[in-house]
Amino acid sequence: SQRNWIGLSYSQVQTDFSSNRVRRTFTDFFHELYQHIIVPSSPVRPRGDPSLLFVNAGMNQFKPIFLGAADPRSEMATYRRVVNSQKCVRAGGKHNDLEDVGRDVYHHTFFEMLGNWSFGDYFKEEACIMAWRLLTEEYRIPPERLYVSYFAGDATSGLPADEETRHIWLMPSDHLLPFGMKDNFWEMGEIGPCGPCTEIHYDHIGGRNAASLVNADSPDVVEIWNLVFMQYNREADHSLRSLPQFSVDTGMGLERLVTVLQGQRSNYDTDLFTPLLSAIQQRSNCPEYRGRTGEADVGKVDMAYRVVADHVRTLSVCIADGVYPGMSGAELVLRRILRRAVRFSTEVLQAPEGALASLVPTVAHILVSIYLIYFQIMDIINENEAQFLSSLKQGRRVIDRTLQRLENNATLFPVPVAWSLHRNLGFPLDLIGLMLEEQGLSVDQRALDVLAIENENTSVGDTLVHLDLHSLAQLQSGEVPHTDDSPKYHYSLAQDGKYVFQPCHATVQALYCGQTLVSEVAGGQRCGVVLDRTCFYAEQGGQSHDQGYFIRDGLPDVLYPVEAVQLAGGYVVHQVTAAEVLRKGDQVQLYLDEPQRLACMVKHTATHVLNFALRQLLGSSVEQRGSHVAADRLRFDFSVKGSLSIPQLQEIERSIHNIITENNAVYMEEVPLARAKDIPGLRTVDEVYPDPVRVVSVAVPVADLYDSQTDRWTSVELCCGTHLLTTGEIGDLVIISERQMVKGISRIVAVTGDDAREAREAGQVLTQEVESLSARLATVASPSLADANRLAKEVDNIGNAPKGNFRQY
């Protein structure tokens, strides 16, 4: 029997299993011997599942089956036996291994999960028999090295011990161990399918009884396979109900299995990593990788090897699946991963700039089953590395300078400085902790968490320093000139398609603190700073203010974060919390938060195009009644009789997409106000305009708009905001809501770029859920009261289910 306790010596373990062979053996075993359908891995970006940042388990793509929500017309609805190898990322969210990567030899942010599933087909006995046969016969793992755990029951939940599973496993009692809810009961979430599980553990040492080390976090005895038996549903009241259909969900990490089969103790010593580690060594000035950890790893060199190897795999797979480093959600996590990798590569391993991206072809060679378009991936990594390296150098100087000022016996690093590195230079907080750890210091994590929460929850508008009338009069009587903010428009589009924002140098003209103009402010004080010139955009015209920081001449390592920017009587007031003393007359260099500015530019140009599309569809009677442009979305209020229909909203989107596809130039020019009012088709709103006024025109140069020199109907508006130079940079636009605010006034909210793509995916998932429910309703001729209540509950769940940050029209 495949379950017999057969004694094989350790020398009989196969050591010629390449990672590709291990993966192929797994899928072929279930496909050829047990008629499982091989399903390709889904992308690491979840398909319409806003509860996940990344796909983090093999079962993610099959959740609709477990939840009974699979479209009955889809192929997925026919699945009974399935096998696959799923790409997974565990970084951020509930499953987050990022901060452990590098410290040991088995944690990863990217890994592959081998799994087999039964959806209402076979159950416990067949699953256990298959697993034992694969491990001991196909992979030839000695049975005496294997330990199996099963569910011991839980009196509090009223759950009995899983005696059925215990009797299936024919092995000595000291290798068959009971554990409770924490280790051997698996749940999909707070509600949903769940059940007991049985786990298979492997003893790397052998020749002993290692039962006491099972589930004890021992690196010598590790779990390699988890077989979950889905037989209950966790209800909203936390009770458990038996599922109408029992299923099996198994998961085994490829990296750990390969480590066992190749006779290694570390995942990084297998062929999944050794080519990468060799490539890293060739690009660095460090000795070859030796696999050391903890205090034995002097200078954290081997830790750096592991971090870079792990992270470049994650970066390559994520970018190949359409997740790029960015500013929110999964994109922000990937940005954090990239910055950790850059820091370890350049500072610890002393590799040159570009070394990280040069590893991508090696990743593509190893992961042949998911071969990558690596030139594009390399470009993205190189671009992001270059952005971070300048911040890394400046951040290192900030840390070094701060350390010089600390007392010799100090053990804690100042929290405000750590937060400044994170907020203004984009340092991941865990990276700051690692850098300080190398210096024998730490930072108060609880205090950092408090700052993060305060930063998220505090409304900047509630704490702004507002110039009062008396102070404004003082500035004017003191003949302080109004701020020259024309540098906010000083940006250009480089040949590589990236926006270049010119640097700006300025002089402190005035400081405002405690409703008083002062000559200097001390470190830690919140104040308003008036400069003679600025490249920061002050909130006006419906566009959010810029963020960023400035540094003082002669003090390049101290950052003064600019939290908000206001316009008051011709003066631009920068809301700043002084990092150190700041005096009137100080010279400063200004640095924009460029991604935030660019995101606002995208939304503002998209707003103009939306306004034009509305007029095209509804006629010139449409009047703008308000708008707001932020980095994450745009809002547009307009006059209309009644709400728009779905076909009308779709027509508006199509019109906008045409303009995006045409990649029209955007022209901006200051002209006398009287002259501007002669432009045919000009869109204005009820507000006071400056003179001269800025005209923004799409596709047609401003000079051609006068005297009917063009017959092209286009978007042309008076606007002081910052805009893209071409419409193609909008990328995509999706209207996520439209509703009447009051009678005759409607509001549209829209997103662009990656957020637009996510909104489309969320909408598609919602459509599939509705169609699936409709199909099931059609099959119920005369529903019982219980059926009617259940279906009504499903309808209510669909209507109230959160779809990320979006609700489709």
Side-chain angles (χ1 to χ4, degrees):
S1 168
Q2 57 266 35
R3 292 179 288 135
N4 285 344
W5 189 258
I6 49 179
L8 292 176
S9 69
Y10 183 65
S11 62
Q12 290 175 284
V13 176
Q14 294 290 322
T15 57
D16 60 343
F17 274 103
S18 69
S19 55
N20 289 328
R21 180 184 172 191
V22 172
R23 186 192 295 111
R24 186 175 62 251
T25 297
F26 185 88
T27 53
D28 288 352
F29 173 82
F30 285 99
H31 176 64
E32 295 173 3
L33 297 181
Y34 296 101
Q35 296 74 53
H36 287 60
I37 297 172
I38 299 176
V39 177
S41 171
S42 67
V44 295
R45 178 189 289 278
R47 291 168 173 164
D49 188 346
S51 67
L52 295 174
L53 288 173
F54 300 98
V55 166
N56 59 21
M59 55 77 62
N60 287 166
Q61 68 169 306
F62 304 118
K63 282 174 71 173
I65 302 179
F66 289 122
L67 296 173
D71 189 328
R73 300 165 298 179
S74 69
E75 181 184 3
M76 181 178 288
T78 68
Y79 290 164
R80 292 296 175 266
R81 298 183 176 204
V82 166
V83 62
N84 86 337
S85 179
Q86 172 65 50
K87 298 174 289 184
C88 298
V89 173
R90 290 189 174 175
K94 178 181 177 181
H95 297 288
N96 183 7
D97 292 336
L98 178 56
E99 294 181 20
D100 294 318
V101 170
R103 296 183 183 275
D104 56 40
V105 295
Y106 50 86
H107 274 102
H108 304 291
T109 53
F110 165 75
F111 65 97
E112 291 182 69
M113 185 172 283
L114 306 171
N116 61 289
W117 287 265
S118 163
F119 305 114
D121 192 347
Y122 61 81
F123 202 44
K124 295 180 181 180
E125 183 170 9
E126 296 91 334
C128 294
I129 289 174
M130 293 174 193
W132 190 259
R133 178 177 179 183
L134 175 65
L135 293 178
T136 61
E137 296 185 14
E138 298 295 325
Y139 290 138
R140 297 185 181 276
I141 296 176
E144 65 268 22
R145 296 254 182 153
L146 298 176
Y147 294 78
V148 174
S149 64
Y150 68 95
F151 182 53
D154 184 75
T156 303
S157 302
L159 290 170
D162 189 2
E163 292 294 320
E164 180 183 358
T165 297
R166 184 176 73 84
H167 288 299
I168 291 170
W169 294 111
L170 301 181
M171 59 197 331
S173 59
D174 59 355
H175 280 247
L176 184 58
L177 310 168
F179 287 90
M181 294 285 290
K182 177 178 178 291
D183 295 299
N184 278 86
F185 194 89
W186 191 92
E187 305 200 38
M188 184 183 294
E190 292 185 5
I191 60 173
C194 56
C197 63
T198 183
E199 296 177 338
I200 303 172
H201 303 254
Y202 176 79
D203 178 17
H204 278 287
I205 304 299
R208 59 177 181 167
N209 187 316
S212 63
L213 298 178
V214 173
N215 283 333
D217 293 324
S218 169
D220 297 328
V221 179
V222 296
E223 173 205 333
I224 57 173
W225 205 350
N226 187 11
L227 284 61
V228 179
F229 306 127
M230 299 282 203
Q231 60 188 94
Y232 302 107
N233 191 71
R234 179 73 72 181
E235 301 293 317
D237 62 359
H238 303 296
S239 65
L240 291 170
R241 292 181 61 189
S242 182
L243 286 169
Q245 170 181 288
F246 289 0
S247 298
V248 174
D249 164 19
T250 85
M252 176 160 57
L254 174 68
E255 289 75 11
R256 284 193 183 181
L257 179 60
V258 170
T259 299
V260 169
L261 296 180
Q262 293 184 3
Q264 303 295 338
R265 294 294 306 280
S266 163
N267 295 357
Y268 292 91
D269 291 333
T270 68
D271 67 345
L272 286 167
F273 288 94
T274 51
L276 261 178
L277 297 172
S278 176
I280 293 169
Q281 196 275 328
Q282 293 171 16
R283 291 157 176 79
S284 69
N285 293 320
C286 289
E288 64 181 13
Y289 176 73
R290 299 181 183 178
R292 298 165 299 187
T293 60
E295 294 182 0
D297 183 16
V298 179
K300 305 292 186 185
V301 172
D302 287 346
M303 177 179 178
Y305 268 105
R306 290 188 289 269
V307 168
V308 173
D310 171 89
H311 287 8
V312 75
R313 280 166 38 105
T314 304
L315 289 164
S316 299
V317 171
C318 287
I319 294 171
D321 281 352
V323 183
Y324 299 160
M327 300 302 291
S328 63
E331 287 77 10
L332 180 59
V333 174
L334 199 63
R335 179 174 181 255
R336 178 183 174 192
I337 290 171
L338 187 143
R339 293 190 162 201
R340 287 180 100 248
V342 168
R343 188 260 161 169
F344 277 101
S345 176
T346 58
E347 287 204 341
V348 181
L349 297 177
Q350 299 293 304
E353 183 175 348
L356 183 65
S358 72
L359 300 172
V360 174
T362 306
V363 176
H365 178 73
I366 296 171
L367 303 178
V368 292
S369 62
I370 49 172
Y371 198 77
L372 311 169
I373 308 172
Y374 56 79
F375 287 116
Q376 178 187 359
I377 298 170
M378 291 171 68
D379 289 342
I380 292 171
I381 292 176
N382 278 331
E383 176 189 331
N384 281 271
E385 179 182 44
Q387 290 176 358
F388 180 54
L389 278 177
S390 60
S391 296
L392 182 61
K393 293 174 184 176
Q394 188 167 4
R396 171 58 71 187
R397 292 198 301 268
V398 170
I399 291 176
D400 290 345
R401 186 174 183 277
T402 305
L403 293 178
Q404 292 172 6
R405 298 169 58 187
L406 294 178
E407 297 180 2
N408 292 334
N409 60 350
T411 59
L412 284 177
F413 190 80
V415 169
V417 179
W419 179 252
S420 178
L421 290 169
H422 171 66
R423 174 63 185 83
N424 299 303
L425 291 179
F427 273 57
L429 290 175
D430 68 302
L431 178 57
I432 297 170
L434 286 171
M435 295 174 73
L436 295 177
E437 185 180 293
E438 294 166 5
Q439 304 288 337
L441 294 171
S442 62
V443 65
D444 187 336
Q445 188 59 49
R446 181 175 296 181
L448 269 181
D449 292 341
V450 169
L451 278 178
I453 293 171
E454 289 177 350
N455 184 72
E456 182 177 344
N457 295 336
T458 300
S459 171
V460 174
D462 294 339
T463 58
L464 288 177
V465 176
H466 295 275
L467 275 175
D468 60 83
L469 291 174
H470 298 293
S471 298
L472 278 172
Q474 276 186 266
L475 291 175
Q476 294 163 354
S477 63
E479 298 183 347
V480 175
H482 291 153
T483 309
D484 173 17
D485 64 350
S486 61
K488 68 189 178 188
Y489 299 125
H490 293 174
Y491 54 88
S492 58
L493 197 56
Q495 290 184 347
D496 62 358
K498 307 302 178 186
Y499 279 84
V500 178
F501 297 87
Q502 295 182 12
C504 182
H505 193 267
T507 303
V508 177
Q509 298 282 79
L511 297 166
Y512 186 74
C513 187
Q515 293 189 316
T516 306
L517 290 173
V518 295
S519 59
E520 75 174 52
V521 292
Q525 281 188 289
R526 172 166 284 169
C527 62
V529 181
V530 176
L531 306 173
D532 62 337
R533 61 198 308 267
T534 183
C535 58
F536 282 80
Y537 186 88
E539 182 150 5
Q540 57 182 319
Q543 179 176 326
S544 293
H545 60 77
D546 283 336
Q547 293 179 328
Y549 65 93
F550 60 75
I551 59 174
R552 273 173 46 194
D553 284 7
L555 199 60
D557 302 327
V558 177
L559 312 180
Y560 293 78
V562 177
E563 301 159 0
V565 190
Q566 296 174 290
L567 191 62
Y571 297 103
V572 175
V573 185
H574 305 75
Q575 173 80 48
V576 170
T577 299
E580 285 200 11
V581 173
L582 186 65
R583 299 180 179 87
K584 181 178 177 180
D586 281 347
Q587 305 291 306
V588 295
Q589 185 79 21
L590 280 60
Y591 294 89
L592 279 178
D593 182 338
E594 294 181 5
Q596 189 259 357
R597 159 67 84 84
L598 185 57
C600 286
M601 289 163 56
V602 169
K603 306 302 185 297
H604 208 148
T605 301
T607 300
H608 282 214
V609 174
L610 169 62
N611 191 1
F612 176 69
L614 282 166
R615 292 172 60 217
Q616 276 190 311
L617 178 68
L618 304 176
S620 58
S621 62
V622 173
E623 294 289 342
Q624 180 177 338
R625 288 292 182 257
S627 69
H628 184 70
V629 174
D632 61 340
R633 62 182 61 196
L634 65 90
R635 186 192 74 220
F636 189 79
D637 299 340
F638 59 99
S639 61
V640 67
K641 294 181 180 178
S643 289
L644 302 182
S645 66
I646 289 178
Q648 285 178 312
L649 291 169
Q650 292 171 334
E651 179 60 31
I652 291 168
E653 282 191 355
R654 279 193 293 270
S655 177
I656 293 170
H657 294 157
N658 289 338
I659 296 174
I660 293 172
T661 302
E662 291 169 2
N663 197 26
N664 295 311
V666 180
Y667 298 93
M668 291 161 278
E669 184 177 329
E670 280 195 352
V671 300
L673 181 59
R675 179 75 166 140
K677 289 182 177 180
D678 292 335
I679 297 175
L682 177 71
R683 302 302 293 166
T684 61
V685 294
D686 186 19
E687 67 180 40
V688 178
Y689 290 97
D691 192 6
V693 68
R694 192 170 180 82
V695 178
V696 178
S697 171
V698 174
V700 179
V702 176
D704 293 347
L705 295 171
Y706 299 105
D707 304 322
S708 299
Q709 295 181 41
T710 178
D711 57 0
R712 179 169 183 175
W713 195 30
T714 189
S715 166
V716 54
E717 297 187 35
L718 304 182
C719 181
C720 62
T722 57
H723 284 270
L724 298 171
L725 301 179
T726 59
T727 58
E729 296 292 323
I730 297 172
D732 193 8
L733 181 141
V734 166
I735 297 171
I736 59 173
S737 73
E738 186 274 340
R739 64 189 178 95
Q740 284 239 310
M741 304 298 295
V742 295
K743 186 176 182 180
I745 303 294
S746 277
R747 168 171 292 176
I748 280 178
V749 177
V751 291
T752 63
D754 288 341
D755 288 339
R757 182 179 67 250
E758 292 183 20
R760 288 189 193 285
E761 293 174 357
Q764 290 167 1
V765 169
L766 179 59
T767 299
Q768 291 170 1
E769 290 174 351
V770 172
E771 291 176 352
S772 173
L773 181 58
S774 298
R776 279 181 281 144
L777 282 171
T779 64
V780 181
S782 301
S784 65
L785 180 60
D787 287 337
N789 287 335
R790 179 177 58 80
L791 291 169
K793 185 177 180 181
E794 287 190 52
V795 172
D796 186 61
N797 288 339
I798 290 176
N800 295 320
K803 301 296 177 185
N805 295 321
F806 314 111
R807 182 174 294 279
Q808 288 281 66
Y809 52 78

